[in-house]
């Protein structure tokens, strides 16, 4: 079985990674020639302010009295420059956002593996093309533009990473640091002749990365006073820097200013997905080469936001985030970044029509070069008779459009030239996308074949070893047919040779060769398939069809729950009526009533507010008190139910109660310390990590008797969960555990009703004595229902705590008892453990169900794996990269979550077995005392 689990993990890792190779590979190509506009630029220098995490509505909106929290920027919009909304793309993270702004392309999500800090591939940027660039801000952002840059003309000034603390002081100090250092820099320049000369060169860039707004948004939410006050401080800081620049350069009118953001933020202080609050960022431009404000009677984008912002009469010019890079390049006359896919927004320019037309022509040639390189690369690695070129932009059409555009410019038909260049850019971008996704269908087909092959193989294993459907078929593995084996070897070699002559990357070999052994293994069980078909034909057609329909309905219910959490509530309400439909009500009324009560109580949680709820400390403390009461009750129950009570067991219970008390104190103390902006106390941090470290060890000190071990697991994990909770979700594991305990009893009653086994007391069943008892019982149809219950409870364990099926389903406040300084991997790991704790509770209950219903140790797990894989395959077909960014991000999130859940099942199954069966001793021999 260990070998099977390792293979399962490897196979699912391939399926998981396939989504990124199919939909999110690096779009970059190399080998292009830099392109720049052959006319004098309107500006000599450019100042770029990036207010990290600034939402468009937060900057543009006004209060009830019509006052803006950023009066200087609003004055710019109305009297000096042009404005609009910059629309970002998924993933809405800091690194991809800055890459889009400064390099002009949308980075693939492979950068997440490096925490959005390192360059997965080298790329060109505006900073690299400039003569000099000076930057101030976060080391995470500034340093990534140095790596891969040519020369040493990019200078960075950064604060320490430890300054990015969500809890110590007001994070606006990060922005104050930037503004103060810029002022100090220009003061020093007056005394440094070399620096003074560099600052008076042309084609230079000043980049101010302002992280305070993002940090305050994470710590206090975007509607908090801290977030809004930070915007005001940025507004004041921008005003001071603009004044400083004008004084330093003698108000020469050759400086362009741009204020924007890398991404927005959800109401609950996270980002990463495609909600409008994350993808809509402000863009305000003014200074040299920028068009002055234009009053209009009607807007091209007339939405509700304009009225809310009171800007409906001022022309709004929306752009895609990557369009900002060519805009900045054209303003200071540097080559467009080589990998930029942005389209120059000429509506922002206050230049001659000739300059606009030449700039658009340069933009078109620069993107067309990428198209040519991409096409040549794909053509080189594809067999000539299989290569299908992008027909909308043939070589002749490229030449025709370029000649026509150049002719329009010579004839001074500048508007026509701009329109034609935009058409050419559109076709080139379509062509880039075409060649970028050229292998998508081929790869997707192979992944689906692998998926279906894996599901079929596991299903056949279940039928062969754990069911009576093939009772007349021998269990021994027949020697494979030599002809069949040779056939699959030939297929594998043919596929490998086909990929080799096309110089395909190594991952293609994995995706394309994986289905070969899968289907070889499936056909190896042909005798099982034949016996299964005979058995199914012997069943009444009506029963077979109804069973399949019920199974499909169950799968679709699980899939639907990812879109509508209330589906789980409906399912749990249906579960509440299960005892009535199965006659269990008449057999075990108390157990049935308990099942109905806990099902209905659990059904409330998916209806509760999602992440982003306001923290409620009283609910966390209340949950802690309930855990204490439960611990006391369990201790009293065990003392009364046993003649002798082990002193070590009593010590374990006292340790668990102490952990609960410490957790409540830490939660209370940390919450008030952060409110006072005093940071995370060191003692609290040490206690939190100690409780976390002990949570997986303490259960192993308790006896392996079913009731004692399960209660010990709950009481050991709850202190950690309390430390990671901010509101009502602290109550969820308690309610879920109640439902799981009753589930174990219900399954006992169900099995006893069918006459298969006699009911045992939970206090007498020992996990450690559990062994494979497949000779006593085979799988029944009702066992599929048990497996479905498990998957349903696992999905409920995820959505019941306020999570949503999105990669922004995180609340950083959850980890503040452990750390407050920004650390993406550590924070991500803690939030992942918070999600997994309810999963662990469900899986431990699942181990008990397998034990009490006398099932083989792996049979139900395999059924669960099949159900999860069918769900994953369903979501694989739903992944898309078109439509709104909210839809795109959601479809990706769904697949990532369900595949992660499936992979974690293998891990959780092993962890549940460890927690339930293993036992540690504080001493060599247990001492028992009569009580």
């Amino acid at each position: 079985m260990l070998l099977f689990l390792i293979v399962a993990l490897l196979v699912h890792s391939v399926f998981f990674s396939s989504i990124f190779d199919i939909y999110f590979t690096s779009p970059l190509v190399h080998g292009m020639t830099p392109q720049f506009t052959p006319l004098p630029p309107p500006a000599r220098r450019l100042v770029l302010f990036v207010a990290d995490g600034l939402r468009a509505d937060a900057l543009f909106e006004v209060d009830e009295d019509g006052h803006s929290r950023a009066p200087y920027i609003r004055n710019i919009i109305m009297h000096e420059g042009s404005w609009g909304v910059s629309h970002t793309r998924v993933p809405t993270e800091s690194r991809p956002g800055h890459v889009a702004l400064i390099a002009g392309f949308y980075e693939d999500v492979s950068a997440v593996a490096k925490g959005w800090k390192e360059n997965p591939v080298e790329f060109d940027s505006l900073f690299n093309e400039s003569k000099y660039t000076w930057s101030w801000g976060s080391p995470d952002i500034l340093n990534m533009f140095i790596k891969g840059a040519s020369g040493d003309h990019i200078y960075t000034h950064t604060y320490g990473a430890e300054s990015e603390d969500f809890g110590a002081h007001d994070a606006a100090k990060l922005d104050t640091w930037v503004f103060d250092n810029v002022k100090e820099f220009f003061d020093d320049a007056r005394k440094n002749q070399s620096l003074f000369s560099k600052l008076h060169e042309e084609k230079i860039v000043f980049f101010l990365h302002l992280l305070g707004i993002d940090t305050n948004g994470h710590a206090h939410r975007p509607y908090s006073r801290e977030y809004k006050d930070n915007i005001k401080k940025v507004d004041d800081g921008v005003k001071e820097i603009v004044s400083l620049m004008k004084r330093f350069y003698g108000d020469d009118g050759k400086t362009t200013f741009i204020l924007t953001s890398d991404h927005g933020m959800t109401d609950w202080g996270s980002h990463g997905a495609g909600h409008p609050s994350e993808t809509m960022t402000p863009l305000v431009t003014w200074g040299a080469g920028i068009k002055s404000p234009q009053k209009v009677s009607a807007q091209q984008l007339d939405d509700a936001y304009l009225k809310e912002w009171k800007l409906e009469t001022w022309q709004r010019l929306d752009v895609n985030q990557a369009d900002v890079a060519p805009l900045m390049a054209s303003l200071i006359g540097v080559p467009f970044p080589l990998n930029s896919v942005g389209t120059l927004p000429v509506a922002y320019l206050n230049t001659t029509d000739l300059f606009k037309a030449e700039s658009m022509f340069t933009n078109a040639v620069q993107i067309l070069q990428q198209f040519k390189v991409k096409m040549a690369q794909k053509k080189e690695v594809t067999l000539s008779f299989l290569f299908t070129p992008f027909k909308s932009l043939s070589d002749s059409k490229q030449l025709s459009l370029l000649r026509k555009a150049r002719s329009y410019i010579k004839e001074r038909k500048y508007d026509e030239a701009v329109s034609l260049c935009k058409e050419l850019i559109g076709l080139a971008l379509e062509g880039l996308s075409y060649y970028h996704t050229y292998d998508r269908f081929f790869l997707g087909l192979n992944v689906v074949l692998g998926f279906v092959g894996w599901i079929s193989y596991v299903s056949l294993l279940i039928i062969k070893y754990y069911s009576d459907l093939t009772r007349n078929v021998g269990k021994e593995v027949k020697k494979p047919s030599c002809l069949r084996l040779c056939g699959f070897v030939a297929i594998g070699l043919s596929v490998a040779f086909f990929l080799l002559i096309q110089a395909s990357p190594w991952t293609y070999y994995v995706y394309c060769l994986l289905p070969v052994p899968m289907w070889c293994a499936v056909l190896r069980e042909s005798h099982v398939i034949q016996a299964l078909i005979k058995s199914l034909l012997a069943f009444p057609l009506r029963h077979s069809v109804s069973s399949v329909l019920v199974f499909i309905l169950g799968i679709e219910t699980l899939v639907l729950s990812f879109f509508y959490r209330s589906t789980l509530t409906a399912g749990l309400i249906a579960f509440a009526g299960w005892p009535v439909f199965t006659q269990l009500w008449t057999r075990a009324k108390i157990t049935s009533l308990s099942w109905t009560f806990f099902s209905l109580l659990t059904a409330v949680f998916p209806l509760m507010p999602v992440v982003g709820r306001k923290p409620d400390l009283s609910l966390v403390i209340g949950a802690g008190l309930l855990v204490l009461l439960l611990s006391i009750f369990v201790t009293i129950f065990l003392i009364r139910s046993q003649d002798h009570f082990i002193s070590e067991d009593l010590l374990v219970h006292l340790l668990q109660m102490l952990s609960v008390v410490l957790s409540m104190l830490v939660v209370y103390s940390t919450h008030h310390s952060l409110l006072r902006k005093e940071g995370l106390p060191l003692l609290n941090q040490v206690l939190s990590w100690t409780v976390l470290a002990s949570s997986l060890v303490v259960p192993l000190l308790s006896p392996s008797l079913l009731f004692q071990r399960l209660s010990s697991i709950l009481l050991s994990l709850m202190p950690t969960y309390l430390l990671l909770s901010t509101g009502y979700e602290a109550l969820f594991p308690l309610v879920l555990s109640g439902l799981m305990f009753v589930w174990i009893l219900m399954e006992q009653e169900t099995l006893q009703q069918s006459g298969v086994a006699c009911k045992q007391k939970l206090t007498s069943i020992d996990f450690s004595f559990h062994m494979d008892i497949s000779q006593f019982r085979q799988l029944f149809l009702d066992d599929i229902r048990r497996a479905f219950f498990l998957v349903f409870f696992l999905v409920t364990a995820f959505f019941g705590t306020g999570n949503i099926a999105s990669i922004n389903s995180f609340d950083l406040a959850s980890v503040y008892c452990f750390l407050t300084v920004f650390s993406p991997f550590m924070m991500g790991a803690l939030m992942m453990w918070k999600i997994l704790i309810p999963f662990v509770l469900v899986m431990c209950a699942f181990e008990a169900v397998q034990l009490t219903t006398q099932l083989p140790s792996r049979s139900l797990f395999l059924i669960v794996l099949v159900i999860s894989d069918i769900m994953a395959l369903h979501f694989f077909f739903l992944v898309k990269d078109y439509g709104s960014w909210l839809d795109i991000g959601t479809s990706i999130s769904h697949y990532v979550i369900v595949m992660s859940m499936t992979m974690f099942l293998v891990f959780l199954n092993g962890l549940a077995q460890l927690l339930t069966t293993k036992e540690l001793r504080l001493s060599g021999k247990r001492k028992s005392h009569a009580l």
Side-chain angles (χ1 to χ4, degrees):
M1 192 62 188
L2 179 61
L3 178 61
F4 176 82
L5 291 177
I6 293 172
V7 171
L9 272 176
L10 291 175
V11 168
H12 285 88
S13 298
V14 172
F15 293 153
F16 181 84
S17 60
S18 68
I19 194 69
F20 301 110
D21 264 330
I22 295 172
Y23 288 92
F24 301 102
T25 52
S26 176
L28 299 189
V29 290
H30 298 90
M32 292 81 67
T33 305
Q35 301 290 321
F36 60 91
T37 306
L39 291 173
R44 292 176 60 86
R45 67 199 72 90
L46 180 138
V47 183
L48 174 63
F49 302 95
V50 176
D52 205 307
L54 176 59
R55 290 164 48 148
D57 57 351
L59 180 69
F60 294 140
E61 67 187 4
V62 294
D63 59 22
E64 297 81 3
D65 300 324
H67 297 142
S68 170
R69 65 178 60 94
Y72 179 73
I73 296 299
R74 194 169 184 88
N75 181 70
I76 292 292
I77 293 172
M78 293 181 171
H79 299 99
E80 291 189 42
S82 295
W83 75 284
V85 172
S86 171
H87 297 274
T88 71
R89 287 192 181 184
V90 175
T92 46
E93 297 288 348
S94 290
R95 179 194 163 94
H98 282 88
V99 169
L101 286 169
I102 298 166
F105 72 92
Y106 301 105
E107 191 171 35
D108 62 287
V109 294
S110 65
V112 75
K114 298 189 178 182
W116 303 119
K117 294 181 181 179
E118 299 293 331
N119 297 353
V121 287
E122 300 301 337
F123 58 85
D124 189 26
S125 71
L126 176 79
F127 297 168
N128 188 45
E129 297 292 352
S130 68
K131 190 161 189 178
Y132 297 107
T133 291
W134 287 272
S135 55
W136 296 263
S138 167
D140 294 342
I141 299 301
L142 268 53
N143 291 338
M144 72 182 183
F145 291 102
I146 298 177
K147 297 176 182 179
S150 58
D152 57 352
H153 61 289
I154 302 176
Y155 306 99
T156 61
H157 303 81
T158 64
Y159 39 74
E162 67 279 358
S163 300
E164 300 174 26
D165 191 332
F166 296 140
H169 304 286
D170 187 358
K173 65 176 184 179
L174 298 175
D175 300 338
T176 303
W177 183 96
V178 170
F179 292 131
D180 289 346
N181 274 264
V182 173
K183 295 173 192 173
E184 185 180 338
F185 172 80
F186 277 95
D187 286 341
D188 292 342
R190 297 182 187 278
K191 309 166 191 173
N192 185 328
Q193 187 58 44
S194 174
L195 178 59
F196 188 83
S197 299
K198 288 180 180 179
L199 288 174
H200 282 79
E201 297 278 1
E202 59 181 12
K203 301 179 181 179
I204 62 174
V205 177
F206 302 99
F207 171 43
L208 283 69
H209 176 240
L210 308 169
L211 187 61
I213 292 174
D214 182 75
T215 308
N216 269 321
H218 286 309
H220 307 288
R221 311 292 190 274
Y223 288 114
S224 65
R225 178 181 56 81
E226 289 83 358
Y227 185 89
K228 294 177 179 179
D229 288 349
N230 203 152
I231 295 175
K232 179 65 172 68
K233 289 184 179 179
V234 167
D235 184 67
D236 292 339
V238 169
K239 181 179 180 180
E240 291 177 6
I241 297 303
V242 171
S243 177
L244 171 69
M245 290 283 184
K246 288 182 177 179
R247 290 197 307 272
F248 187 85
Y249 289 107
D251 202 4
D252 63 354
K254 290 294 182 178
T255 308
T256 302
F257 301 93
I258 294 181
L259 171 72
T260 186
S261 176
D262 53 347
H263 56 74
M265 187 171 287
T266 61
D267 291 346
W268 53 91
S270 70
H271 51 80
H275 191 274
S277 63
E278 300 166 89
T279 60
M280 292 179 63
T281 61
L283 176 63
V284 182
T285 63
W286 68 102
I290 298 296
K291 185 182 291 186
S292 57
Q294 303 293 311
K295 278 207 167 189
V296 292
S297 56
Q299 298 271 9
Q300 289 184 344
L301 294 165
D302 192 8
D303 53 29
Y305 292 112
L306 283 167
K307 292 181 180 178
E308 291 177 13
W309 302 338
K310 308 292 187 198
L311 291 171
E312 55 266 38
T313 59
W314 301 98
Q315 187 179 25
R316 170 179 158 186
L317 304 170
D318 282 16
V319 300
N320 292 319
Q321 193 172 47
D323 299 342
V324 178
L327 173 64
M328 294 189 293
S330 65
L331 285 166
I332 58 174
V334 300
F336 288 25
L338 292 174
N339 301 113
S340 171
V341 294
T343 302
L344 175 65
V346 290
Y348 274 85
L349 295 177
N350 181 28
T351 59
T352 63
D353 290 340
L354 173 61
F355 183 86
K356 293 177 184 177
E358 287 286 0
S359 297
M360 280 302 302
F361 186 82
T362 302
N363 194 184
V365 172
Q366 171 257 326
I367 293 179
L368 185 61
Q369 277 198 342
Q370 294 181 71
F371 167 79
K372 289 180 176 180
V373 171
K374 194 79 171 179
M375 181 178 68
Q377 288 179 352
K378 185 54 62 180
K379 192 172 184 179
E380 185 180 350
V381 297
T382 305
L383 296 175
S384 57
F385 64 91
L386 291 177
F387 181 73
T388 306
F390 181 63
K391 297 178 181 178
S392 299
L393 194 57
S394 61
D395 291 343
S396 59
K397 186 163 186 178
Q398 294 173 35
L399 194 59
S400 173
L401 289 173
L402 288 173
R403 284 176 175 173
K404 198 171 183 180
R406 178 51 66 191
S407 174
Y408 279 147
I409 293 174
K410 287 182 178 179
E411 296 171 8
R412 299 186 179 182
K413 297 179 179 179
Y414 301 124
D415 290 341
E416 290 86 346
V418 168
S419 297
L420 195 63
C421 288
K422 285 182 178 179
E423 180 188 345
L424 179 55
I425 289 172
L427 288 172
L429 290 176
E430 282 182 36
L432 272 173
S433 176
Y434 172 80
Y435 289 117
H436 187 59
T437 60
Y438 192 83
D439 297 325
R440 179 172 295 178
F441 177 78
F442 173 68
L443 292 177
L445 178 63
N446 281 279
V447 171
V448 170
L449 285 173
F451 242 126
V452 176
W454 168 258
I455 293 171
S456 303
Y457 177 65
V458 176
S459 301
L460 289 174
L461 287 183
I462 296 169
I463 294 167
K464 179 178 180 179
Y465 290 106
Y466 302 111
S467 78
D468 289 329
L469 290 177
T470 57
R471 63 175 67 89
N472 297 323
V473 179
K475 303 296 182 187
E476 72 279 357
V477 178
K478 292 187 177 181
K479 189 175 181 180
S481 164
C482 183
L483 181 62
R484 183 171 64 238
L485 187 60
C486 290
F488 276 101
V489 170
I491 292 172
L493 290 174
S494 300
V495 171
F497 180 71
F498 174 75
L499 296 173
L500 182 64
I501 60 177
Q502 295 203 114
S504 300
W506 68 270
T507 51
Y508 281 36
Y509 289 84
V510 177
Y511 302 138
C512 297
L513 291 176
L514 184 62
V516 177
M518 289 288 184
W519 285 102
C520 183
V522 170
L523 294 182
R524 191 179 182 183
E525 306 294 342
S526 57
H527 56 292
V528 179
I529 298 173
Q530 293 170 6
L532 175 62
I533 293 172
K534 289 180 182 178
S535 299
L536 291 177
L537 290 175
F539 283 178
L541 180 62
R542 181 169 58 86
H543 289 171
S544 299
V545 172
S546 61
S547 298
V548 171
L549 289 177
V550 169
F551 183 77
I552 292 173
L553 178 63
I555 295 291
E556 291 304 312
T557 300
L558 292 171
V559 170
L560 195 62
S561 68
F562 278 70
F563 297 93
Y564 307 101
R565 295 166 68 231
S566 56
T567 306
L568 296 172
T569 298
L572 288 164
I573 292 173
F575 284 6
W578 174 42
V580 178
F581 296 114
T582 56
Q583 302 302 314
L584 285 172
W585 175 264
T586 57
R587 182 183 181 86
K589 288 188 177 179
I590 295 178
T591 304
S592 298
L593 275 173
S594 301
W595 169 263
T596 301
F597 171 75
F598 279 106
S599 294
L600 294 176
L601 193 58
T602 309
V604 174
F605 284 90
L607 298 177
M608 299 291 280
V610 298
V611 289
R613 58 198 170 266
K614 197 172 182 180
D616 193 335
L617 191 64
S618 61
L619 289 176
V620 181
I621 301 299
L625 293 174
L626 286 176
V627 176
L628 269 181
L629 287 175
L630 178 63
S631 183
I632 294 170
F633 170 78
V634 169
T635 305
I636 294 173
F637 174 78
L638 291 174
I639 292 174
R640 289 182 175 178
S641 63
Q642 298 182 17
D643 294 331
H644 296 276
F645 195 70
I646 309 299
S647 57
E648 291 180 8
D649 299 343
L650 184 59
L651 179 59
V652 169
H653 282 281
L654 290 175
L655 281 173
Q656 290 170 336
M657 285 189 277
L658 177 63
S659 293
V660 174
V661 172
L662 288 175
S663 296
M664 288 191 293
L665 290 174
V666 168
V667 167
Y668 181 84
S669 171
T670 302
H671 177 75
H672 288 280
S673 178
L674 294 179
L675 282 180
R676 295 190 299 269
K677 300 190 186 304
E678 295 175 357
L680 172 61
L682 179 60
L683 178 61
N684 290 14
Q685 190 173 24
V686 171
L687 288 173
S688 296
W689 285 105
T690 304
V691 169
L692 173 63
S694 65
S695 62
L696 292 178
V697 178
V698 174
L700 305 182
L701 300 174
S702 64
S704 56
L705 295 171
L706 189 147
F707 177 77
Q708 286 180 251
R709 180 54 66 92
L710 289 181
S711 59
S712 181
I713 292 170
L714 171 64
L715 296 175
S716 296
L717 292 177
M718 275 305 297
T720 302
Y721 201 83
L722 292 174
L723 292 170
L724 291 167
S725 297
T726 60
Y728 73 82
E729 80 273 20
L731 298 166
F732 180 73
L734 287 172
V735 177
L736 182 66
S737 297
L739 181 61
M740 293 299 97
F741 181 73
V742 181
W743 182 35
I744 298 168
L745 296 174
M746 288 290 287
E747 294 297 358
Q748 270 192 308
E749 296 291 348
T750 303
L751 206 62
Q752 191 177 3
Q753 186 182 47
S754 63
V756 174
C758 296
K759 186 178 178 180
Q760 294 177 275
K761 287 187 176 181
L762 298 188
T763 52
S764 64
I765 301 174
D766 196 329
F767 275 115
S768 62
F769 295 150
H770 180 215
M771 53 186 175
D772 196 349
I773 51 174
S774 59
Q775 62 268 30
F776 298 130
R777 179 161 103 74
Q778 295 291 301
L779 286 172
F780 300 144
L781 198 59
D782 197 39
D783 291 319
I784 298 178
R785 190 264 310 156
R786 291 185 176 93
F788 174 78
F789 270 26
L790 173 65
V791 180
F792 190 93
F793 290 142
L794 287 172
V795 175
T796 304
F798 181 77
F799 291 110
T801 55
N803 294 302
I804 55 175
S806 171
I807 56 178
N808 65 14
S809 180
F810 299 112
D811 183 2
L812 288 179
S814 299
V815 304
Y816 287 169
C817 287
F818 294 87
L819 75 165
T820 54
V821 176
F822 182 65
S823 175
F825 286 120
M826 188 61 70
M827 288 179 165
L830 287 169
M831 289 186 284
M832 184 60 68
W833 181 235
K834 178 184 178 181
I835 290 172
L836 289 180
I837 286 176
F839 283 26
V840 172
L841 296 175
V842 174
M843 289 301 293
C844 289
F846 176 57
E847 285 293 313
V849 167
Q850 289 189 112
L851 179 58
T852 57
T853 54
Q854 299 179 350
L855 273 171
S857 59
R858 298 289 182 266
S859 54
L860 272 185
F861 174 73
L862 293 179
I863 300 176
V864 168
L865 203 58
V866 169
I867 294 173
S868 302
D869 283 334
I870 293 173
M871 287 177 60
L873 183 59
H874 195 300
F875 282 116
F876 182 83
F877 287 115
L878 293 178
V879 172
K880 56 184 179 181
D881 60 351
Y882 58 88
S884 72
W885 285 109
L886 179 60
D887 293 338
I888 295 169
T890 301
S891 70
I892 300 164
S893 300
H894 286 168
Y895 182 75
V896 168
I897 290 169
V898 77
M899 277 305 300
S900 300
M901 193 180 296
T902 306
M903 293 173 68
F904 275 123
L905 270 177
V906 181
F907 161 73
L908 290 172
N909 187 59
L911 179 60
Q913 286 187 36
L914 174 69
L915 288 174
T916 53
T917 59
K918 301 301 178 184
E919 193 171 352
L920 297 176
R921 294 281 193 273
L922 290 175
S923 58
K925 185 179 179 181
R926 281 176 172 261
K927 294 180 181 180
S928 62
H929 302 275
L931 294 176

